[in-house]
Amino acid sequence: MTSLFHRPAADRPTGPAPSVTALLLAGAAFVVAVLVAGFAYLGFIEDSLWKSTVDDVLEITDQSAHAFEVYLEKDLKKLDILVSVLEPVASTDTAAIVEHCAYFNKAQNIYGVVNLDTGYLYTGTESEGLRLPDEVWEAYRDFPDRGVREPYVGDYTGLKMVGYFQRIDFADGVPALVYEGAPVSRISEEFTMSFFEDRGFSYIVNGRGDVLVRPVSRHSNDVQGNIVEAVGSGANGAESVSALTDSLAASRSGVVRVRLDDRDCVMAFVPIENTDGWSMVSVIPDDVIMEQGNAIIGTSTVVLFLVILVVGAAAFFGLAASRFTRSMRAQGAETRAREELFSVLASATDEVFLMLSRDPVRVDYVSPNVDRILGVGPDEVRADCAVLELEDAEGPVDTASLDDGRTVVREGLRHNRATGEPLWFTDSLYDVEVDGGRRCMAVLSDRTRERRNEEVLREALSVAEVANESKSTFLSNVSHDIRTPMNAIVGLATLLLRDAGDPDLVRDHTRKIQASSQHMLGLLNDVLDMSKIESGKTTLNLSEFELSELAEDVVTIARPQALAKGQDFRVNVSGVRDGLVVGDKLRINQVLINIITNAVKYTPEGGTVEFDLVQMPSPRANFVTLRFTVRDDGMGMAPEFMETLFDPFTREENSVTNRVQGTGLGLAITKSLVELMGGAISVESEVGRGSTFVVDLELRVARHRDSREFFERMGIGRVLVVDDERAVCDEVVAVMGDAGVGAEFALTGADAVSMAAEAEAEGRGFGLVIVDWRMPGMDGAQTARAIREVVPHNVPVMVLTAFDRADAESACDGAGVDGFLQKPFFLSSLTLLLEELSGCGGEAAPAPGDASIEGLHFLAAEDNALSASILEELLAMEGATVELVSNGQEALERFEGARPGTFDAVLMDVQMPVLDGYGATRAIRSCGHPDAATTPIVAMTANAFVDDVARALAAGMDMHMAKPVDIASLGAVLGEARAKRAAANGKGRP
């Protein structure tokens, strides 16, 4: 049989052997030919690698330019959304303009609107407009209709910004420029502008070469103001500078060779679309480009010389040795080739190979990659193989145990001695036969990556199992809490059918159905709110609000609940000097009401609930820290329950708490909202002794009022405070003192009358008197009546009360009281009341009016026939009439065709066919009907999240009512809507 690698003897050449000289000449010619071909091949490789890498650089630059175009398009789309919201707004409605900008400013960019007729700039950061300098105003007027602006210094931020702008016309035809400013520093951080392991960099330049955006890396090239000037100042020819200048000016792509920072570089440039002649310019040093190529060329060169040496050695030994010697040399060359091949293959793996003699144990071979993998040189391993022993091994492997053909496998830890990195290895030892002798081959396999992947998978599996268990628990709890009121509703509905003839039972069943429905609706709202918080979609609606209004809202809801249980509900305020702050009032209100109503529910009848509001300084300028403390002497909580207090659907189970309704979501939502606002919540509790919740929030001060100037203008220099609680007196005196007003106090009505009479007699009478209503002995009404007899009629006498204001007004009728203040005392509430009494408070907004809707005529858009029928019946019960349409288009047509004054309000569903509620509202507001701008439009929808409310207001609606609609509160909602619209229509141009 013919062998593949040997020819038969008959085919072998015969004849005389060539002479030595001829062989030497032939060998020399062969070596020269190999050298020439090798160097030509190396040159070809170098040229090909250079061209390929330069093409890659141009491709990277083109991809970077395209990525930046997508980046710009994303911001321009945000600007388009703001434009669509602002176009239906009148230029005089500055409050709406500021509100829309503030809503969009929740992102990292800055949004603003420039009124091109007046030169006023409006942003969401200030409540009023800013008059721009004439030269800036004129510059904005010269802007094109749409575009991207080169970096500039922001009017408000002082930062270097890239601007996007678009011209619009407001609803009343006034031209404006809407812009969006993105900090250049953020673009540099978010948009990757370095590559080749942070040794190549991209710049964004204009057509003149001015650098607009540069990389943030400290290793970037020393290109500062203008990239053309940087190239021109280096050792570059006029041809390179001219090519770069012409290409940037003409927005062309290309590549030039330049010298920057004393290094030869490749500069690639690609134009950026949707900009005014901007280009993406990449600068990469030659040595970086050719780093990999040089390695390949160097390896090829070494291989070439090795080949030449091997060939030369083979020729030499072929000429100098006998056939036997040539055969041995061939065998040696084959062995070396195998070792070389094995070494090359081993260097590309994460396994170290060793060949060991058995007796004595000696390392005959170690793969050279041991240095890369373990930081130990091959020579050191040959000297002592113990350096490769596993760190936790019990001892060296007994090689004699391999005689029976067994394979030994061990696992353990090693450290890379150069880097210190811990590595997990699997060692396999085999018995092999080599040249008739027994050897031991060891394979040390690095399994660190596989082990880490396994750990990651195990952790992911564990997280998934916990999440699945939490989901099951969540669904189980939701199912239980929904089925409980649902069971009551279904059962009571059955009883209604049975007892339909008994009016008393029907009313009783109906009241219970309403109570169960409200409980289930509250549960649904909590579940949806918690779901939105956990998905990260909850946003904050930041606006200016008075702390006095916040406290009054909370107290108004909580105090009746506490009084119904006969509890002592106390409110304490101290240190409040900046009453107007910026925050999400609705979310703060939700947090406080959750905590306070819990305290009322879990405190027995006759107990005490305290609400403290303390204002403390903040380490940040123009900020204050508000500490809200809710303290009760109720049942308290066990330590083990405290560990899961803020987990969803968590309630302490005992005979007392089981009688209190609740979903177990309130405190979970509360904690999430507090953390969303950047605050902190803590709790201390003891079973049988009560609980204390503390919430700390840091809020920005909206603006500082000059209270001293106000009281000087009002002519009030001294104040008399009358209250039987010393703490209240001290707080009022301190607040008035900060406002520059001297204050004295009395703890009884009799003492107060004496102090007032004495001051009048001495000619240092009080300019204001504040009297508590409920006091022992001589109450507030009696004290006010007596003080009124000794002070001039123009001195205001105020009554301060912690109880129902209507009761206080009735009790003080005829006592000469000028006004009433609700506890806790706030300076802002006092100044507003004094402004109203003096008539200098400006034109007040129309009062909401009567909450009744009797006699009103509505237009309602509702596509669900059953919901429309129920709405019609509910309005009829309240004495109102309604015209029903099934979509937004019909609502628009009916409104446009109606006589002025036909409809008192429009109730607008949101999700409808043909034309939805948002589009219908915008169309109604922009139509020419006389009532289009004044008729209240109320959103009546099941979309009840904060974002849905903001979207409804942006479309032109006045108020938002979530389904199911509470008809009983519709009158109050309409009154508030009319007041807001009247106030908005009354605002003129700044």
Side-chain angles (χ1 to χ4, degrees):
M1 181 165 139
T2 302
S3 171
L4 181 63
F5 297 105
H6 295 84
R7 288 179 292 176
D11 296 334
R12 294 175 187 171
T14 59
S19 66
V20 175
T21 303
L23 289 176
L24 286 175
L25 290 174
F30 177 78
V31 170
V32 171
V34 170
L35 283 173
V36 172
F39 283 112
Y41 177 71
L42 291 177
F44 172 78
I45 291 177
E46 181 177 8
D47 185 64
S48 299
L49 287 173
W50 173 259
K51 291 180 179 179
S52 175
T53 307
V54 169
D55 289 341
D56 290 343
V57 171
L58 186 60
E59 178 64 20
I60 291 172
T61 307
D62 184 71
Q63 292 177 2
S64 297
H66 178 68
F68 189 69
E69 292 164 6
V70 174
Y71 187 92
L72 293 179
E73 186 64 25
K74 178 185 66 175
D75 281 342
L76 287 171
K77 287 182 179 178
K78 295 179 184 176
L79 185 65
D80 290 339
I81 296 174
L82 177 57
V83 167
S84 67
V85 171
L86 287 172
E87 284 179 335
V89 178
S91 64
T92 57
D93 192 357
T94 57
I97 296 173
V98 171
E99 180 180 359
H100 291 321
C101 291
Y103 180 80
F104 277 79
N105 279 344
K106 296 172 186 175
Q108 295 178 346
N109 292 355
I110 302 298
Y111 293 82
V113 180
V114 179
N115 187 319
L116 296 179
D117 274 0
T118 64
Y120 271 84
L121 168 64
Y122 303 93
T123 70
T125 59
E126 299 290 339
S127 60
E128 297 180 353
L130 171 67
R131 179 63 164 81
L132 296 173
D134 290 342
E135 60 274 13
V136 178
W137 176 22
E138 288 300 324
Y140 279 124
R141 291 167 66 94
D142 294 335
F143 274 24
D145 290 343
R146 179 182 175 91
V148 181
R149 182 181 177 186
E150 290 189 3
Y152 64 97
V153 177
D155 296 315
Y156 276 94
T157 63
L159 301 176
K160 193 174 183 182
M161 314 283 285
V162 169
Y164 318 93
F165 60 87
Q166 181 172 337
R167 281 178 176 266
I168 67 168
D169 289 327
F170 284 116
D172 52 3
V174 174
L177 190 76
V178 183
Y179 76 82
E180 172 188 2
V184 172
S185 58
R186 182 172 66 82
I187 295 176
S188 298
E189 293 172 356
E190 294 182 353
F191 185 76
T192 302
M193 303 186 71
S194 63
F195 42 90
F196 281 105
E197 298 180 345
D198 207 25
R199 291 183 291 174
F201 304 90
S202 293
Y203 301 83
I204 299 175
V205 304
N206 59 19
R208 300 180 304 276
D210 297 326
V211 176
L212 306 181
V213 181
R214 59 179 291 110
V216 297
S217 174
R218 61 187 178 86
H219 300 295
S220 62
N221 302 84
D222 190 20
V223 177
Q224 300 296 331
N226 187 287
I227 200 162
V228 175
E229 294 177 359
V231 172
S233 63
N236 298 294
E239 182 180 353
S240 298
V241 178
S242 177
L244 176 62
T245 303
D246 295 341
S247 297
L248 293 180
S251 296
R252 293 196 300 264
S253 299
V255 178
V256 296
R257 297 286 300 277
V258 297
R259 187 168 182 81
L260 288 175
D261 300 337
D262 296 326
R263 299 175 72 181
D264 291 328
C265 302
V266 171
M267 181 176 291
F269 38 88
V270 175
I272 301 174
E273 296 182 2
N274 298 325
T275 61
D276 187 14
W278 295 9
S279 294
M280 181 71 67
V281 179
S282 298
V283 180
I284 308 95
D286 286 2
D287 53 355
V288 174
I289 292 178
M290 288 302 297
E291 183 175 82
Q292 184 177 5
N294 290 335
I296 296 174
I297 293 171
T299 302
S300 301
T301 303
V302 172
V303 171
L304 175 63
F305 280 101
L306 287 176
V307 169
I308 294 172
L309 290 176
V310 170
V311 171
F316 174 79
F317 284 106
L319 296 173
S322 63
R323 181 175 181 147
F324 175 79
T325 304
R326 289 197 302 272
S327 175
M328 293 299 295
R329 180 192 56 76
Q331 293 181 11
E334 183 180 352
T335 301
R336 287 194 299 274
R338 285 200 302 268
E339 291 182 353
E340 183 71 20
L341 176 63
F342 186 75
S343 297
V344 172
L345 293 175
S347 64
T349 68
D350 290 332
E351 295 178 322
V352 177
F353 299 92
L354 296 97
M355 186 71 72
L356 301 96
S357 298
R358 299 283 293 276
D359 188 20
V361 176
R362 182 182 69 254
V363 176
D364 296 332
Y365 173 81
V366 57
S367 56
N369 60 352
V370 68
D371 191 10
R372 173 177 61 85
I373 296 175
L374 289 171
V376 181
D379 293 339
E380 188 175 355
V381 175
R382 293 188 187 93
D384 183 8
C385 63
V387 296
L388 296 182
E389 192 62 52
L390 293 172
E391 295 177 5
D392 51 355
E394 297 178 356
V397 176
D398 183 9
T399 55
S401 63
L402 297 175
D403 287 344
D404 57 2
R406 288 192 311 111
T407 299
V408 176
V409 179
R410 300 195 304 173
E411 290 187 343
L413 190 68
R414 291 187 176 93
H415 280 76
N416 186 302
R417 197 163 68 180
T419 64
E421 179 186 6
L423 303 171
W424 186 264
F425 271 82
T426 298
D427 295 352
S428 302
L429 287 83
Y430 308 90
D431 177 64
V432 295
E433 181 178 355
V434 178
D435 295 333
R438 309 304 301 178
R439 302 266 187 106
C440 176
M441 186 175 74
V443 181
L444 315 182
S445 303
D446 183 0
R447 295 288 183 260
T448 306
R449 183 178 302 173
E450 291 89 337
R451 188 178 180 89
R452 288 174 181 169
N453 289 339
E454 291 175 1
E455 292 176 355
V456 171
L457 291 175
R458 281 196 295 270
E459 291 178 2
L461 177 61
S462 176
V463 171
E465 290 174 347
V466 172
N468 188 54
E469 182 180 354
S470 300
K471 180 180 178 181
S472 300
T473 303
F474 176 82
L475 292 176
S476 175
N477 289 329
V478 170
S479 175
H480 171 271
D481 286 329
I482 287 181
R483 288 177 186 274
T484 299
M486 195 65 201
N487 179 64
I489 292 172
V490 173
L492 289 167
T494 304
L495 294 179
L496 274 176
L497 293 174
R498 187 195 69 184
D499 301 327
D502 189 333
D504 292 336
L505 285 177
V506 168
R507 282 191 291 270
D508 182 62
H509 295 334
T510 303
R511 283 194 298 270
K512 292 177 180 177
I513 288 176
Q514 288 177 332
S516 297
S517 300
Q518 290 298 321
H519 175 63
M520 189 163 65
L521 180 61
L523 171 65
L524 182 60
N525 289 335
D526 283 348
V527 170
L528 293 177
D529 211 356
M530 192 68 202
S531 175
K532 194 169 186 184
I533 289 172
E534 291 184 343
S535 66
K537 296 181 180 178
T538 301
T539 56
L540 298 178
N541 184 18
L542 302 180
S543 61
E544 296 181 0
F545 67 90
E546 289 279 0
L547 289 178
S548 58
E549 295 176 0
L550 174 70
E552 185 174 352
D553 291 346
V554 173
V555 172
T556 300
I557 294 174
R559 177 169 278 131
Q561 299 179 19
L563 294 179
K565 295 184 68 174
Q567 296 171 346
D568 182 10
F569 184 75
R570 303 175 184 175
V571 181
N572 306 304
V573 175
S574 63
V576 176
R577 302 297 183 265
D578 300 289
L580 189 65
V581 295
V582 176
D584 191 330
K585 178 185 174 184
L586 178 64
R587 292 302 190 184
I588 299 174
N589 197 316
Q590 182 180 355
V591 166
L592 298 178
I593 289 177
N594 267 342
I595 298 175
I596 294 176
T597 53
N598 272 350
V600 172
K601 284 194 297 185
Y602 294 105
T603 299
E605 295 185 0
T608 299
V609 177
E610 292 186 67
F611 171 47
D612 296 343
L613 167 57
V614 179
Q615 186 179 101
M616 301 179 295
S618 169
R620 293 201 291 168
N622 298 323
F623 279 79
V624 294
T625 297
L626 299 179
R627 170 161 292 178
F628 304 94
T629 304
V630 179
R631 189 181 302 104
D632 66 72
D633 58 359
M635 61 186 66
M637 293 173 283
E640 56 271 17
F641 174 69
M642 295 273 288
E643 298 178 0
T644 60
L645 175 63
F646 295 107
D647 294 343
F649 286 106
T650 302
R651 299 184 66 213
E652 191 169 18
E653 300 293 334
N654 58 51
S655 60
V656 179
T657 59
N658 288 342
R659 296 197 298 266
V660 181
Q661 278 193 342
T663 64
L665 283 174
L667 286 179
I669 294 173
T670 296
K671 185 175 187 295
S672 298
L673 290 177
V674 170
E675 292 176 346
L676 180 65
M677 291 184 287
I681 183 171
S682 61
V683 58
E684 295 180 358
S685 185
E686 185 178 347
V687 176
R689 299 180 67 88
S691 305
T692 300
F693 284 81
V694 178
V695 175
D696 288 336
L697 295 176
E698 191 177 52
L699 302 179
R700 183 167 64 85
V701 177
R703 59 178 180 268
H704 294 278
R705 294 193 180 99
D706 190 354
S707 300
R708 293 176 180 269
E709 188 275 335
F710 171 80
F711 284 106
E712 289 177 0
R713 177 164 48 85
M714 298 295 296
I716 299 175
R718 300 179 68 236
V719 176
L720 175 61
V721 183
V722 190
D723 198 302
D724 60 316
E725 292 187 36
R726 178 64 179 265
V728 175
C729 292
D730 290 340
E731 176 63 18
V732 176
V733 169
V735 171
M736 297 305 298
D738 289 340
V741 179
E744 300 181 21
F745 69 89
L747 299 177
T748 65
D751 290 344
V753 174
S754 298
M755 292 174 64
E758 181 180 349
E760 286 296 327
E762 295 177 357
R764 53 181 186 88
F766 295 102
L768 172 66
V769 180
I770 301 175
V771 183
D772 185 25
W773 176 36
R774 291 285 182 88
M775 294 188 297
M778 195 174 182
D779 65 16
Q782 296 170 332
T783 303
R785 185 176 290 108
I787 289 178
R788 177 53 72 194
E789 294 178 355
V790 299
V791 300
H793 71 280
N794 62 340
V795 174
V797 177
M798 309 291 188
V799 168
L800 186 64
T801 176
F803 300 91
D804 186 81
R805 178 170 172 171
D807 294 339
E809 290 178 350
S810 176
C812 296
D813 187 26
V817 175
D818 296 290
F820 294 84
L821 293 169
Q822 193 77 34
K823 284 188 177 181
F825 175 81
F826 285 92
L827 185 62
S828 58
S829 300
L830 175 61
T831 56
L832 289 174
L833 182 56
L834 289 173
E835 284 181 341
E836 292 178 6
L837 293 175
S838 64
C840 62
E843 183 180 353
D850 189 1
S852 173
I853 61 173
E854 183 177 0
L856 300 183
H857 186 56
F858 293 90
L859 173 62
E862 172 60 71
D863 64 318
N864 185 284
L866 178 60
S867 297
S869 175
I870 293 174
L871 176 64
E872 186 175 20
E873 292 294 331
L874 291 175
L875 290 172
M877 289 174 57
E878 299 294 329
T881 57
V882 62
E883 291 187 36
L884 296 169
V885 294
S886 59
N887 59 62
Q889 184 63 37
E890 293 180 5
L892 173 61
E893 295 171 356
R894 181 65 189 93
F895 186 88
E896 287 181 319
R899 295 192 309 273
T902 299
F903 299 112
D904 295 291
V906 179
L907 305 180
M908 186 70 72
D909 191 14
V910 170
Q911 295 185 357
M912 295 184 293
V914 185
L915 182 63
D916 64 17
Y918 301 126
T921 299
R922 285 191 288 267
I924 289 175
R925 291 299 187 209
S926 60
C927 74
H929 195 281
D931 296 340
T934 57
T935 301
I937 301 180
V938 179
M940 184 181 61
T941 172
N943 299 343
F945 288 126
V946 175
D947 293 345
D948 301 316
V949 178
R951 188 178 178 190
L953 296 179
M957 301 183 189
D958 297 279
M959 299 295 288
H960 181 283
M961 294 187 70
K963 291 181 179 180
V965 176
D966 183 8
I967 297 297
S969 63
L970 181 57
V973 170
L974 288 177
E976 186 176 352
R978 292 192 187 98
K980 288 176 60 179
R981 184 149 292 277
N985 291 336
K987 290 182 179 180
R989 186 173 300 176

